[in-house]
């Protein structure tokens, strides 16, 4: 028997409690479940939410009804559909396309779209974002979705019901299945719309029962595992230069479609790059070897040019390569460089040189293709800190890549992966990738924990992911970012996003250091020292400290700054301050992703 509702355990007035209790006593179990979902939805959406907006119960899939129109006819028909569905006991979510987040489509099971056409076959304003999303590169596969479209239009226009036709076609292309055929309505739409609603509701009533298909279960349980040997082919969605006009560097923001891949903020994206075709051609010319010569590449055989293109490392010089190649070349110079005690000379020789330089300097007559590739190592993947959160960017992975370009020995050089991504990879291309877990660079489990994030240059990438995750989860912890680069006007990576988060309050404060905007260079470690008292106060309040970026200089200098801050503000000697930081590390409150 249902317990009476009393004012001692509810915020209701006595009269409200009595009326609610009387209603509850009249309801069966199924009705109570429905009411529970309905009230939850009303509470989430507010008192002004439309009456037809009902949360799905645990036993039924919800029908989502989306409308988009200029005149309001679509909204009226959508409300009618929702009311009739509710009368049948079907859970319904009703929304304007303008208020609907397109990423939610991945979670929908039953969908009704009512949309008009505007202008020259264009979507109405309220439907534009959803229309563009579904027709863009970020559109997800929607095999789980069943849908139907009611298109509103005017047959006197050339592009009659074009927007409805667009939605219908693109949903089918993305793998969704129709609940009922699309109906194209002219200006006198009442009868056609009523017939569509009746047909749709019959199909929804049959489809709304809970079921997990064997196919879906198998898909979840048999999800493929991807690694550097079995990479995921990710489509490039965006490839954008983050630096402003006149910059003396190039930093790319790259977005990839990775549906099915799972990662956490702090993880890295492994990228299997390709070598520069011009370098491959030059190397073949220097070697005097045919591009088509067959060579072993793992368990397969490839033409030499293909193997040099994406399987073997052909840039970085290594000691094993020098030793093996020096033996083939019978070079006393190379042998001498590798001899004990000649570390400085070897280091000087290696600096700025690539494999092609050694091959040119010490030719080996009669060297075969198989002999040459036998000297090479496999082209290693490059790891880039993920600059996105799945919670904010479902089915996507974002990375931040600095294009490496320099000159040595009078020759222009470039990084293998960075310039491949910057110069030759375009939206629509695919990139072989995998997720590299990094359990040593994780957000704290307590969402109220303060964060101090230090990331100059591309080292800022994971902190974009951290803030996306915290925003999506509603975490209440304070967030402080230290960012540095060369110039404010050209190198302030993700500036608009940081400023938006500052304005919204998610980013509590941000300190920047642009090293070349003044005579005296300024770096993030100087900014830390300038804010010593506040930084120490955050540490004493339980803040977690994260550092990402260059290991050779920046990370060392930042660590020294933190140690000095702890020593000065905590009145500790250097050894005790160092132990303070070690204790932070042990407690996972001081984490670094340095390279």
């Amino acid at each position: 028997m249902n317990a009476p509702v009393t004012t001692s355990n509810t915020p209701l007035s006595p009269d409200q409690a009595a009326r609610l209790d009387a209603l509850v006593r009249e309801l069966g179990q199924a009705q109570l479940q429905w009411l529970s979902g309905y009230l939850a939805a009303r509470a989430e959406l507010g008192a002004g939410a439309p009456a037809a907006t009902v949360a799905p119960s645990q036993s039924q899939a919800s029908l989502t009804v989306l409308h988009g129109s200029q005149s309001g006819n679509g909204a009226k028909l959508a409300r009618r559909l929702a009311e009739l569905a509710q009368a049948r006991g079907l859970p319904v979510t009703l929304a304007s396309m303008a208020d609907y987040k397109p990423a939610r489509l991945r979670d929908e099971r039953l969908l009704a779209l009512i949309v008009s056409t505007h202008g020259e076959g264009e979507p109405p304003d309220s439907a534009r974002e959803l229309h563009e999303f579904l027709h863009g590169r970020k559109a997800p596969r929607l095999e789980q979705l069943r849908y139907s479209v009611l298109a509103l239009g005017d047959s006197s226009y050339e592009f009659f019901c074009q927007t409805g036709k667009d939605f219908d076609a693109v949903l089918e292309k993305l793998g969704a299945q129709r609940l009922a055929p699309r109906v194209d309505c002219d200006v006198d739409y009442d009868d056609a719309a009523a017939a569509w609603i009746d047909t749709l509701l019959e199909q929804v009533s049959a489809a709304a029962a809970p079921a997990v298909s064997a196919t879906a279960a198998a898909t979840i349980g048999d999800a493929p595992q991807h690694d550097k040997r079995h990479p995921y082919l990710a489509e490039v969605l965006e490839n954008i230069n983050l630096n402003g006009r006149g910059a003396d560097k190039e930093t790319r923001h790259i977005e990839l479609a990775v549906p099915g891949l799972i990662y956490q903020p702090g993880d890295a994206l492994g990228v299997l790059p390709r070598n520069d075709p011009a370098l491959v051609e030059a190397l073949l010319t220097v070697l005097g070897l045919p591009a088509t010569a067959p060579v072993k590449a793992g368990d397969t055989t490839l033409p030499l040019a293909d193997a040099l293109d994406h399987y073997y490392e052909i840039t970085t010089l290594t000691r094993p390569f020098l030793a093996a190649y020096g033996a083939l070349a019978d070079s006393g110079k190379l042998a001498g460089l590798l001899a004990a005690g000649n570390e400085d000379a070897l280091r000087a020789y290696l600096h700025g040189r690539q494999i092609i330089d050694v091959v040119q300097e010490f030719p080996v007559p009669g060297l075969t293709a198989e002999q040459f590739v036998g000297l090479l190592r496999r082209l290693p993947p490059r790891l880039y800190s993920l600059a996105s959160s799945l919670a904010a960017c479902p089915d996507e992975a974002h990375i931040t890549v600095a294009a490496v370009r320099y000159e040595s020995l009078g020759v222009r050089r470039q990084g293998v992966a960075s310039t491949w991504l910057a110069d030759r990879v375009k939206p629509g291309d695919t990139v072989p990738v995998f997720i590299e877990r990094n359990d040593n660079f994780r957000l704290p489990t307590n969402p109220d924990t303060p964060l101090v994030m230090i990331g100059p240059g591309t080292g800022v990438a994971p902190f974009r992911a951290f803030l996306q995750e915290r925003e999506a989860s509603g975490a209440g912890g304070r967030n402080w970012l230290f960012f540095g680069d060369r110039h404010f006007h050209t190198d302030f990576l993700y500036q608009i996003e940081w400023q938006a988060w500052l304005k919204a309050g998610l980013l509590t404060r941000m300190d920047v250091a642009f090293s070349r905007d003044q005579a005296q260079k300024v770096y993030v470690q100087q900014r830390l020292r300038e804010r010593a008292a506040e930084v120490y106060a955050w540490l004493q309040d339980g803040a977690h400290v994260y550092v990402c970026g260059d290991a050779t200089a920046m990370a060392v200098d930042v660590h020294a700054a933190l140690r000095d801050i702890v020593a000065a503000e905590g009145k500790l000697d250097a050894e005790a301050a160092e132990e303070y930081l070690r204790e932070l590390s042990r407690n996972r409150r001081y984490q670094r992703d340095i390279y």
Side-chain angles (χ1 to χ4, degrees), residues 23-255:
L23 173 62
V24 167
R25 289 176 182 276
E26 298 175 2
L27 302 180
Q29 187 64 29
Q31 291 171 312
L32 286 171
Q33 289 179 345
W34 179 91
L35 181 61
S36 174
Y38 174 81
L39 293 175
R42 289 300 296 266
E44 181 178 350
L45 295 171
T53 303
V54 185
S57 73
Q58 294 181 346
S59 61
Q60 288 181 306
S62 174
L63 171 65
T64 295
V65 180
L66 299 180
H67 58 85
S69 67
Q70 293 294 123
S71 65
N73 290 331
K76 288 187 289 186
L77 287 171
R79 283 194 295 271
R80 178 62 177 162
L81 170 59
E83 291 166 359
L84 291 173
Q86 184 180 351
R88 293 186 180 218
L90 297 171
V92 181
T93 299
L94 172 65
S96 166
M97 292 182 185
D99 300 327
Y100 183 81
K101 293 188 179 300
R104 288 176 54 189
L105 281 172
R106 297 170 175 85
D107 300 321
E108 303 289 3
R109 295 296 179 269
L110 303 172
L111 178 67
L113 291 175
I114 301 176
V115 64
S116 64
T117 296
H118 179 65
E120 298 299 312
E122 299 170 0
D125 293 340
S126 59
R128 190 172 301 278
E129 181 181 359
L130 183 61
H131 187 272
E132 291 176 353
F133 175 81
L134 286 171
H135 286 82
R137 297 187 184 278
K138 297 186 181 183
R141 296 296 301 171
L142 296 172
E143 282 88 355
Q144 86 290 347
L145 181 67
R146 300 188 67 187
Y147 75 99
S148 188
V149 176
L150 181 70
L152 304 178
D154 184 339
S155 60
S156 66
Y157 287 89
E158 178 182 0
F159 300 100
F160 174 59
C161 291
Q162 185 61 52
T163 300
K165 294 174 183 177
D166 289 346
F167 274 116
D168 187 46
V170 75
L171 287 171
E172 181 183 37
K173 180 180 178 181
L174 295 171
Q177 297 181 352
R178 291 182 183 86
L179 279 164
R182 184 189 79 247
V183 170
D184 297 335
C185 295
D186 207 340
V187 288
D188 185 13
Y189 59 79
D190 294 289
D191 291 343
W196 174 81
I197 289 173
D198 288 342
T199 302
L200 175 64
L201 289 178
E202 288 298 324
Q203 295 299 316
V204 170
S205 297
V212 178
S213 70
T215 301
T219 300
I220 295 169
D222 300 334
Q225 298 298 312
H226 296 281
D227 55 27
K228 61 184 178 182
R229 300 290 178 180
H230 306 91
Y232 181 97
L233 292 180
E235 182 184 359
V236 177
L237 302 172
E238 300 284 357
N239 191 339
I240 302 167
N241 185 4
L242 293 176
N243 297 99
R245 182 178 301 174
D248 55 5
K249 60 189 297 189
E250 180 183 357
T251 309
R252 311 296 298 194
H253 170 79
I254 299 171
E255 300 181 4

Side-chain angles (χ1 to χ4, degrees), residues 225-343:
Q225 298 298 312
H226 296 281
D227 55 27
K228 61 184 178 182
R229 300 290 178 180
H230 306 91
Y232 181 97
L233 292 180
E235 182 184 359
V236 177
L237 302 172
E238 300 284 357
N239 191 339
I240 302 167
N241 185 4
L242 293 176
N243 297 99
R245 182 178 301 174
D248 55 5
K249 60 189 297 189
E250 180 183 357
T251 309
R252 311 296 298 194
H253 170 79
I254 299 171
E255 300 181 4
L256 303 127
V258 293
L261 290 192
I262 303 299
Y263 65 85
Q264 298 181 55
D267 287 341
L269 188 73
V271 175
L272 278 64
R274 305 184 74 142
N275 287 305
D276 182 359
L279 180 59
V280 171
E281 184 178 352
L283 186 56
L284 289 172
T285 300
V286 170
L287 290 166
L289 294 172
T292 57
V295 295
K296 291 290 289 181
D299 297 330
T300 189
T301 298
L302 294 174
L304 177 58
D306 291 350
L308 298 181
D309 171 74
H310 62 267
Y311 191 85
Y312 287 108
E313 170 72 76
I314 63 171
T315 53
T316 304
L317 272 178
T318 64
R319 294 177 189 228
F321 175 86
L322 280 182
Y325 189 84
L328 288 175
D330 195 20
S331 168
K333 179 178 179 180
L334 291 179
L337 287 171
L338 292 164
N342 285 342
E343 291 297 320

Side-chain angles (χ1 to χ4, degrees), residues 438-451:
N438 185 0
D439 291 330
N440 296 316
F441 205 72
R442 288 281 184 255
L443 281 165
T445 55
N446 183 349
D448 294 327
T449 302
L451 306 185

Side-chain angles (χ1 to χ4, degrees), residues 5-19:
V5 180
T6 68
T7 55
S8 64
N9 58 15
T10 81
L12 303 177
S13 69
D15 180 60
Q16 289 173 325
R19 283 186 285 132

Side-chain angles (χ1 to χ4, degrees), residues 489-510:
H489 289 294
T490 59
D491 306 322
F492 199 161
L493 308 183
Y494 301 114
Q495 177 184 3
I496 294 175
E497 293 184 40
W498 306 129
Q499 290 176 331
W501 278 327
L502 279 167
K503 183 177 180 180
L506 178 69
L507 188 54
T508 310
R509 65 181 296 175
M510 182 176 189

Side-chain angles (χ1 to χ4, degrees), residues 343-360:
E343 291 297 320
D344 289 343
L346 178 60
R347 191 178 301 111
Y349 181 80
L350 291 173
H351 181 71
R353 279 183 170 80
Q354 294 185 349
I355 287 173
I356 193 171
D357 301 314
V358 176
V359 172
Q360 285 177 315

